[in-house]
Amino acid sequence: MANLVLVDSSVWIDHFNGAVNPQVEWLRAALDNGEDDILGGDLITQEVLQGFRLDKYFSQAERALALFPCVALRWAGARTALLLPPCTAACAREASRFASL
């Protein structure tokens, strides 16, 4: 099994804003290559989506983020819970369409 990577809200926000930094470059490469080892988190999704001012972009980002498995982030030491089914490579490729929001 591949290593799963929980992508932080700051990386998603930079990605959607078109920033260039090593973390965003890694994320974009993973999306372009159809990597299926990307995780999201409920609180991460909330933080990312609250920054969108237009409903159109909010909805597009919400659909893109929903393609990835989501963990419920709650404090239990350094553990997370509730891992949902993993995203397929096809889902990751679909999510990459939203890279230029």
Side-chain angles (χ1 to χ4, degrees):
M1 173 181 241
N3 291 326
L4 299 174
V5 178
L6 180 64
V7 179
D8 185 63
S9 59
S10 63
V11 178
W12 284 112
I13 290 166
D14 284 352
H15 168 70
F16 286 122
N17 284 328
V20 178
N21 61 49
Q23 294 80 14
V24 171
E25 288 176 5
W26 176 89
L27 177 59
R28 289 186 181 140
L31 293 173
D32 289 344
N33 293 326
E35 298 288 335
D36 59 358
D37 57 353
I38 297 171
L39 291 176
D42 55 354
L43 299 177
I44 292 169
T45 300
Q46 178 184 353
E47 288 180 354
V48 172
L49 294 178
Q50 72 185 5
F52 286 94
R53 292 187 176 94
L54 298 177
D55 287 343
K56 172 185 174 183
Y57 297 131
F58 176 95
S59 296
Q60 288 177 338
E62 183 178 38
R63 284 193 307 273
L65 293 170
L67 295 173
F68 300 98
C70 183
V71 292
L73 301 172
R74 55 188 115 158
W75 185 251
R79 297 176 186 223
T80 57
L82 186 64
L83 179 61
L84 301 176
C87 177
T88 64
C91 290
R93 281 192 298 279
E94 180 68 17
S96 69
R97 292 183 357 174
F98 300 104
S100 63
L101 294 179

